[in-house]
Amino acid sequence: LSNQLALGLDVGGTKLAGVLMTAEGEIVAKDARHTHGLEGSRAVLNRLFELADKLLASAIEPVCGIGVATPGIVDLQQGIVRFVSTELPGWSNLPIVELISKEFGMSVLIENDGRAAALAEHRLGVGRGCRNFITIVLGTGVGGGIVANNEILRGEHGGGGRLGHISVDPDGPPCTCGNRGCLELYASGPALANSITTAIQDGKPSTLSKEIYINPAQGLSGRQVVEAAKSGDALAQAVISDAGCKLGLAIVQMMRILDPIMIAVGGSISSAGDLLLDPAREILSRYSPPGYPIIPEIVRAKFGRDASVIGAALLGWEAANGTNLKRGNP
Ligand SMILES: [Zn+2]
């Protein structure tokens, strides 16, 4: 097995990513495409096949299994996504595992992208050796995964660990999930962009104000807010600090549920580093419940934006080696 490879595929709201990985976690090839999710599930699947084909053709060692990370509530038994938000229309209830395993003649496993990221960080990243561990991914949305007693927590219906929809303000704005004040509404890339745009329109000074007035239709990205904050923009720093406080409030709740030793924060927004994490640490130390001998560490995840696709490749290995999960067999 040592000279074989697994293929990991990550279906993101904006990007499709793929890697070929060794059993030791070494990435030997990687590639990506735009998702263009609004073109429908068939078009997305065709682009995913094309990406996989190209990677498989480049492999110099045999590829033994495929893992797929996707947003939404994933039904591992049936190999489908049972529910996904509007970014991927037609993706729900598509027999993804069956379609991919037929196309490539290999065993396939599917997992929620946040849980795949947690798997990557737990096996190969900052969470190695942590028995109880949480990964939170701040990107276009907010996802995450929980490792309890060294196992990924999936829950009864595949909906376990959807940490972006923990409410941090019951009086906050409504979320697409039906709840109010979800973490995703404060700490995702679009949330950061929205809140700085509103503040600038209210007359607060920022280096990003010219971007808004020059090209109002295009809008800002979360990444631009992070970059501005790192270059010293006070308004961008305040927006990120507020997101960090909300993140901290969500972590206080997670602490009561899991009692983890470490929380890793990944995704594109995590590149804000301590500008984001220090406010979260401060909230956690202020509100952490009594009786816990240590407060869990909040750290930056090792793999950043690549955690989900690396986790997917780990699942490719599981698919090949056989696990207790139902697999799509060729
Ligand atoms: Zn929500």
PDB file of all heavy atoms in Angstrom, residues 3 32 42 59 105 122 128 136 146 159-160 163-164 171 183 203-204 214 224 229 231 249 252 269 282 297 301 322 325:
ATOM      1  N   ASN A   3       3.196   2.430  -1.682  1.00  0.00           N
ATOM      2  CA  ASN A   3       3.485   3.186  -2.894  1.00  0.00           C
ATOM      3  C   ASN A   3       2.217   3.548  -3.669  1.00  0.00           C
ATOM      4  O   ASN A   3       2.272   3.862  -4.846  1.00  0.00           O
ATOM      5  CB  ASN A   3       4.456   2.416  -3.788  1.00  0.00           C
ATOM      6  CG  ASN A   3       3.865   1.097  -4.246  1.00  0.00           C
ATOM      7  OD1 ASN A   3       2.855   0.655  -3.700  1.00  0.00           O
ATOM      8  ND2 ASN A   3       4.480   0.486  -5.239  1.00  0.00           N
ATOM      9  N   ALA A  32      -7.357  22.655  -9.323  1.00  0.00           N
ATOM     10  CA  ALA A  32      -8.625  23.265  -8.901  1.00  0.00           C
ATOM     11  C   ALA A  32      -9.381  23.820 -10.107  1.00  0.00           C
ATOM     12  O   ALA A  32      -8.788  24.049 -11.181  1.00  0.00           O
ATOM     13  CB  ALA A  32      -8.353  24.379  -7.895  1.00  0.00           C
ATOM     14  N   ARG A  42     -25.333  18.795 -12.712  1.00  0.00           N
ATOM     15  CA  ARG A  42     -24.713  18.005 -13.784  1.00  0.00           C
ATOM     16  C   ARG A  42     -23.423  18.678 -14.262  1.00  0.00           C
ATOM     17  O   ARG A  42     -22.391  18.023 -14.457  1.00  0.00           O
ATOM     18  CB  ARG A  42     -25.719  17.845 -14.938  1.00  0.00           C
ATOM     19  CG  ARG A  42     -25.377  16.813 -15.976  1.00  0.00           C
ATOM     20  CD  ARG A  42     -25.401  15.403 -15.414  1.00  0.00           C
ATOM     21  NE  ARG A  42     -24.085  14.779 -15.491  1.00  0.00           N
ATOM     22  CZ  ARG A  42     -23.832  13.536 -15.106  1.00  0.00           C
ATOM     23  NH1 ARG A  42     -24.784  12.778 -14.583  1.00  0.00           N
ATOM     24  NH2 ARG A  42     -22.614  13.040 -15.214  1.00  0.00           N
ATOM     25  N   ALA A  59      -1.052  10.539 -12.266  1.00  0.00           N
ATOM     26  CA  ALA A  59      -0.532   9.716 -11.164  1.00  0.00           C
ATOM     27  C   ALA A  59       0.507   8.732 -11.672  1.00  0.00           C
ATOM     28  O   ALA A  59       0.265   8.023 -12.650  1.00  0.00           O
ATOM     29  CB  ALA A  59      -1.683   8.965 -10.498  1.00  0.00           C
ATOM     30  N   GLY A 105     -14.451   3.549 -11.326  1.00  0.00           N
ATOM     31  CA  GLY A 105     -14.195   2.157 -10.969  1.00  0.00           C
ATOM     32  C   GLY A 105     -13.429   2.008  -9.666  1.00  0.00           C
ATOM     33  O   GLY A 105     -12.533   1.173  -9.555  1.00  0.00           O
ATOM     34  N   HIS A 122      -6.890  16.608  12.617  1.00  0.00           N
ATOM     35  CA  HIS A 122      -6.699  15.648  13.704  1.00  0.00           C
ATOM     36  C   HIS A 122      -5.630  14.604  13.361  1.00  0.00           C
ATOM     37  O   HIS A 122      -4.801  14.235  14.183  1.00  0.00           O
ATOM     38  CB  HIS A 122      -8.031  14.965  14.030  1.00  0.00           C
ATOM     39  CG  HIS A 122      -7.963  14.064  15.216  1.00  0.00           C
ATOM     40  ND1 HIS A 122      -8.126  12.707  15.130  1.00  0.00           N
ATOM     41  CD2 HIS A 122      -7.724  14.325  16.525  1.00  0.00           C
ATOM     42  CE1 HIS A 122      -7.988  12.172  16.334  1.00  0.00           C
ATOM     43  NE2 HIS A 122      -7.751  13.139  17.197  1.00  0.00           N
ATOM     44  N   ARG A 128      -3.158  16.615  16.087  1.00  0.00           N
ATOM     45  CA  ARG A 128      -2.596  15.269  16.309  1.00  0.00           C
ATOM     46  C   ARG A 128      -2.432  15.004  17.793  1.00  0.00           C
ATOM     47  O   ARG A 128      -1.864  15.815  18.518  1.00  0.00           O
ATOM     48  CB  ARG A 128      -1.239  15.141  15.634  1.00  0.00           C
ATOM     49  CG  ARG A 128      -1.355  14.996  14.139  1.00  0.00           C
ATOM     50  CD  ARG A 128      -0.008  15.083  13.497  1.00  0.00           C
ATOM     51  NE  ARG A 128       0.646  13.777  13.522  1.00  0.00           N
ATOM     52  CZ  ARG A 128       1.609  13.437  12.677  1.00  0.00           C
ATOM     53  NH1 ARG A 128       2.048  14.297  11.797  1.00  0.00           N
ATOM     54  NH2 ARG A 128       2.133  12.241  12.735  1.00  0.00           N
ATOM     55  N   ILE A 136     -12.893  24.666  13.371  1.00  0.00           N
ATOM     56  CA  ILE A 136     -13.889  25.597  12.839  1.00  0.00           C
ATOM     57  C   ILE A 136     -13.307  26.194  11.565  1.00  0.00           C
ATOM     58  O   ILE A 136     -12.162  26.641  11.564  1.00  0.00           O
ATOM     59  CB  ILE A 136     -14.199  26.731  13.850  1.00  0.00           C
ATOM     60  CG1 ILE A 136     -14.655  26.133  15.189  1.00  0.00           C
ATOM     61  CG2 ILE A 136     -15.272  27.671  13.305  1.00  0.00           C
ATOM     62  CD1 ILE A 136     -14.852  27.168  16.276  1.00  0.00           C
ATOM     63  N   ILE A 146     -16.183  18.024  14.846  1.00  0.00           N
ATOM     64  CA  ILE A 146     -15.859  17.687  16.229  1.00  0.00           C
ATOM     65  C   ILE A 146     -15.217  16.304  16.266  1.00  0.00           C
ATOM     66  O   ILE A 146     -15.737  15.373  15.648  1.00  0.00           O
ATOM     67  CB  ILE A 146     -17.146  17.686  17.087  1.00  0.00           C
ATOM     68  CG1 ILE A 146     -17.733  19.104  17.154  1.00  0.00           C
ATOM     69  CG2 ILE A 146     -16.886  17.129  18.483  1.00  0.00           C
ATOM     70  CD1 ILE A 146     -19.106  19.169  17.793  1.00  0.00           C
ATOM     71  N   GLY A 159     -25.698  15.140  10.609  1.00  0.00           N
ATOM     72  CA  GLY A 159     -25.760  16.588  10.812  1.00  0.00           C
ATOM     73  C   GLY A 159     -24.953  17.069  12.009  1.00  0.00           C
ATOM     74  O   GLY A 159     -25.093  18.222  12.403  1.00  0.00           O
ATOM     75  N   GLY A 160     -24.091  16.205  12.555  1.00  0.00           N
ATOM     76  CA  GLY A 160     -23.309  16.578  13.739  1.00  0.00           C
ATOM     77  C   GLY A 160     -22.164  17.517  13.398  1.00  0.00           C
ATOM     78  O   GLY A 160     -21.540  17.377  12.346  1.00  0.00           O
ATOM     79  N   LEU A 163     -21.049  23.698  13.076  1.00  0.00           N
ATOM     80  CA  LEU A 163     -20.803  24.719  14.095  1.00  0.00           C
ATOM     81  C   LEU A 163     -21.127  26.132  13.636  1.00  0.00           C
ATOM     82  O   LEU A 163     -21.300  27.023  14.456  1.00  0.00           O
ATOM     83  CB  LEU A 163     -19.342  24.633  14.534  1.00  0.00           C
ATOM     84  CG  LEU A 163     -18.921  23.230  15.024  1.00  0.00           C
ATOM     85  CD1 LEU A 163     -17.425  23.184  15.275  1.00  0.00           C
ATOM     86  CD2 LEU A 163     -19.677  22.847  16.279  1.00  0.00           C
ATOM     87  N   GLY A 164     -21.247  26.347  12.335  1.00  0.00           N
ATOM     88  CA  GLY A 164     -21.557  27.686  11.834  1.00  0.00           C
ATOM     89  C   GLY A 164     -22.948  28.143  12.202  1.00  0.00           C
ATOM     90  O   GLY A 164     -23.262  29.332  12.129  1.00  0.00           O
ATOM     91  N   ASP A 171     -31.241  37.552  19.352  1.00  0.00           N
ATOM     92  CA  ASP A 171     -31.930  38.708  18.764  1.00  0.00           C
ATOM     93  C   ASP A 171     -31.257  39.171  17.474  1.00  0.00           C
ATOM     94  O   ASP A 171     -31.593  40.226  16.936  1.00  0.00           O
ATOM     95  CB  ASP A 171     -31.953  39.876  19.758  1.00  0.00           C
ATOM     96  CG  ASP A 171     -32.694  39.512  21.034  1.00  0.00           C
ATOM     97  OD1 ASP A 171     -33.743  38.838  20.916  1.00  0.00           O
ATOM     98  OD2 ASP A 171     -32.217  39.855  22.122  1.00  0.00           O
ATOM     99  N   LEU A 183     -23.368  32.020  14.074  1.00  0.00           N
ATOM    100  CA  LEU A 183     -21.954  32.405  13.950  1.00  0.00           C
ATOM    101  C   LEU A 183     -21.602  32.782  12.514  1.00  0.00           C
ATOM    102  O   LEU A 183     -20.866  33.737  12.274  1.00  0.00           O
ATOM    103  CB  LEU A 183     -21.070  31.246  14.444  1.00  0.00           C
ATOM    104  CG  LEU A 183     -19.557  31.464  14.347  1.00  0.00           C
ATOM    105  CD1 LEU A 183     -19.109  32.638  15.189  1.00  0.00           C
ATOM    106  CD2 LEU A 183     -18.814  30.192  14.757  1.00  0.00           C
ATOM    107  N   GLY A 203     -20.174  56.315   7.160  1.00  0.00           N
ATOM    108  CA  GLY A 203     -19.229  57.426   7.241  1.00  0.00           C
ATOM    109  C   GLY A 203     -17.951  57.137   7.998  1.00  0.00           C
ATOM    110  O   GLY A 203     -17.134  58.030   8.213  1.00  0.00           O
ATOM    111  N   LYS A 204     -17.733  55.875   8.400  1.00  0.00           N
ATOM    112  CA  LYS A 204     -16.490  55.579   9.128  1.00  0.00           C
ATOM    113  C   LYS A 204     -15.331  55.465   8.133  1.00  0.00           C
ATOM    114  O   LYS A 204     -15.489  54.912   7.052  1.00  0.00           O
ATOM    115  CB  LYS A 204     -16.654  54.279   9.917  1.00  0.00           C
ATOM    116  CG  LYS A 204     -17.736  54.395  10.978  1.00  0.00           C
ATOM    117  CD  LYS A 204     -17.490  53.469  12.150  1.00  0.00           C
ATOM    118  CE  LYS A 204     -18.495  53.736  13.252  1.00  0.00           C
ATOM    119  NZ  LYS A 204     -19.395  52.592  13.470  1.00  0.00           N
ATOM    120  N   ILE A 214     -15.546  53.039  -5.952  1.00  0.00           N
ATOM    121  CA  ILE A 214     -15.107  52.863  -7.342  1.00  0.00           C
ATOM    122  C   ILE A 214     -15.921  51.755  -8.010  1.00  0.00           C
ATOM    123  O   ILE A 214     -16.343  51.866  -9.152  1.00  0.00           O
ATOM    124  CB  ILE A 214     -13.591  52.518  -7.402  1.00  0.00           C
ATOM    125  CG1 ILE A 214     -12.768  53.744  -7.015  1.00  0.00           C
ATOM    126  CG2 ILE A 214     -13.191  52.031  -8.799  1.00  0.00           C
ATOM    127  CD1 ILE A 214     -11.312  53.444  -6.729  1.00  0.00           C
ATOM    128  N   GLN A 224     -10.247  40.671   1.403  1.00  0.00           N
ATOM    129  CA  GLN A 224      -9.825  42.078   1.359  1.00  0.00           C
ATOM    130  C   GLN A 224      -9.891  42.704   2.751  1.00  0.00           C
ATOM    131  O   GLN A 224      -9.036  43.513   3.114  1.00  0.00           O
ATOM    132  CB  GLN A 224     -10.721  42.873   0.402  1.00  0.00           C
ATOM    133  CG  GLN A 224     -10.368  42.706  -1.066  1.00  0.00           C
ATOM    134  CD  GLN A 224     -11.350  43.424  -1.955  1.00  0.00           C
ATOM    135  OE1 GLN A 224     -12.527  43.062  -1.999  1.00  0.00           O
ATOM    136  NE2 GLN A 224     -10.898  44.456  -2.643  1.00  0.00           N
ATOM    137  N   ALA A 229      -6.965  44.753   7.427  1.00  0.00           N
ATOM    138  CA  ALA A 229      -6.703  44.703   8.872  1.00  0.00           C
ATOM    139  C   ALA A 229      -5.227  44.453   9.152  1.00  0.00           C
ATOM    140  O   ALA A 229      -4.623  45.085  10.028  1.00  0.00           O
ATOM    141  CB  ALA A 229      -7.556  43.611   9.516  1.00  0.00           C
ATOM    142  N   SER A 231      -2.800  45.257   7.269  1.00  0.00           N
ATOM    143  CA  SER A 231      -2.012  46.447   6.922  1.00  0.00           C
ATOM    144  C   SER A 231      -2.287  47.620   7.854  1.00  0.00           C
ATOM    145  O   SER A 231      -1.832  48.738   7.573  1.00  0.00           O
ATOM    146  CB  SER A 231      -2.281  46.899   5.494  1.00  0.00           C
ATOM    147  OG  SER A 231      -2.477  45.838   4.645  1.00  0.00           O
ATOM    148  N   LEU A 249     -17.704  33.464  21.741  1.00  0.00           N
ATOM    149  CA  LEU A 249     -18.986  33.103  22.367  1.00  0.00           C
ATOM    150  C   LEU A 249     -19.451  31.718  21.920  1.00  0.00           C
ATOM    151  O   LEU A 249     -19.988  30.939  22.707  1.00  0.00           O
ATOM    152  CB  LEU A 249     -20.059  34.149  22.022  1.00  0.00           C
ATOM    153  CG  LEU A 249     -19.895  35.519  22.677  1.00  0.00           C
ATOM    154  CD1 LEU A 249     -20.890  36.520  22.098  1.00  0.00           C
ATOM    155  CD2 LEU A 249     -20.057  35.414  24.194  1.00  0.00           C
ATOM    156  N   VAL A 252     -17.342  29.102  23.721  1.00  0.00           N
ATOM    157  CA  VAL A 252     -17.765  28.899  25.111  1.00  0.00           C
ATOM    158  C   VAL A 252     -18.865  27.818  25.164  1.00  0.00           C
ATOM    159  O   VAL A 252     -18.840  26.927  26.025  1.00  0.00           O
ATOM    160  CB  VAL A 252     -18.272  30.219  25.741  1.00  0.00           C
ATOM    161  CG1 VAL A 252     -18.914  29.966  27.099  1.00  0.00           C
ATOM    162  CG2 VAL A 252     -17.128  31.219  25.887  1.00  0.00           C
ATOM    163  N   ILE A 269     -10.463  33.085   6.259  1.00  0.00           N
ATOM    164  CA  ILE A 269     -10.493  34.188   7.226  1.00  0.00           C
ATOM    165  C   ILE A 269      -9.488  33.985   8.364  1.00  0.00           C
ATOM    166  O   ILE A 269      -9.064  34.939   9.017  1.00  0.00           O
ATOM    167  CB  ILE A 269     -11.934  34.365   7.781  1.00  0.00           C
ATOM    168  CG1 ILE A 269     -12.925  34.601   6.626  1.00  0.00           C
ATOM    169  CG2 ILE A 269     -12.036  35.487   8.800  1.00  0.00           C
ATOM    170  CD1 ILE A 269     -12.561  35.758   5.715  1.00  0.00           C
ATOM    171  N   GLU A 282      -9.866  35.921  24.587  1.00  0.00           N
ATOM    172  CA  GLU A 282     -10.255  36.777  25.713  1.00  0.00           C
ATOM    173  C   GLU A 282     -11.672  36.448  26.190  1.00  0.00           C
ATOM    174  O   GLU A 282     -11.926  36.332  27.392  1.00  0.00           O
ATOM    175  CB  GLU A 282     -10.170  38.231  25.259  1.00  0.00           C
ATOM    176  CG  GLU A 282      -9.852  39.194  26.370  1.00  0.00           C
ATOM    177  CD  GLU A 282      -9.815  40.619  25.832  1.00  0.00           C
ATOM    178  OE1 GLU A 282      -8.974  40.864  24.941  1.00  0.00           O
ATOM    179  OE2 GLU A 282     -10.640  41.440  26.274  1.00  0.00           O
ATOM    180  N   GLU A 297      -6.982  25.563  24.177  1.00  0.00           N
ATOM    181  CA  GLU A 297      -6.155  26.420  23.347  1.00  0.00           C
ATOM    182  C   GLU A 297      -6.892  26.735  22.043  1.00  0.00           C
ATOM    183  O   GLU A 297      -7.497  25.831  21.446  1.00  0.00           O
ATOM    184  CB  GLU A 297      -4.894  25.619  23.005  1.00  0.00           C
ATOM    185  CG  GLU A 297      -3.625  26.386  23.062  1.00  0.00           C
ATOM    186  CD  GLU A 297      -2.457  25.534  22.581  1.00  0.00           C
ATOM    187  OE1 GLU A 297      -2.471  24.297  22.779  1.00  0.00           O
ATOM    188  OE2 GLU A 297      -1.547  26.118  22.008  1.00  0.00           O
ATOM    189  N   ALA A 301      -5.445  26.661  12.328  1.00  0.00           N
ATOM    190  CA  ALA A 301      -5.329  25.322  11.745  1.00  0.00           C
ATOM    191  C   ALA A 301      -4.090  25.261  10.859  1.00  0.00           C
ATOM    192  O   ALA A 301      -3.608  26.276  10.370  1.00  0.00           O
ATOM    193  CB  ALA A 301      -6.574  25.023  10.927  1.00  0.00           C
ATOM    194  N   GLY A 322     -11.313  -0.225   3.387  1.00  0.00           N
ATOM    195  CA  GLY A 322     -12.488  -0.795   4.002  1.00  0.00           C
ATOM    196  C   GLY A 322     -12.671  -0.255   5.399  1.00  0.00           C
ATOM    197  O   GLY A 322     -11.759  -0.244   6.202  1.00  0.00           O
ATOM    198  N   LEU A 325     -18.066   1.982   7.363  1.00  0.00           N
ATOM    199  CA  LEU A 325     -19.054   2.798   6.671  1.00  0.00           C
ATOM    200  C   LEU A 325     -19.399   2.131   5.352  1.00  0.00           C
ATOM    201  O   LEU A 325     -18.571   1.481   4.740  1.00  0.00           O
ATOM    202  CB  LEU A 325     -18.466   4.181   6.382  1.00  0.00           C
ATOM    203  CG  LEU A 325     -17.969   4.923   7.607  1.00  0.00           C
ATOM    204  CD1 LEU A 325     -17.130   6.103   7.178  1.00  0.00           C
ATOM    205  CD2 LEU A 325     -19.146   5.393   8.434  1.00  0.00           C
TER     206      LEU A 325
END
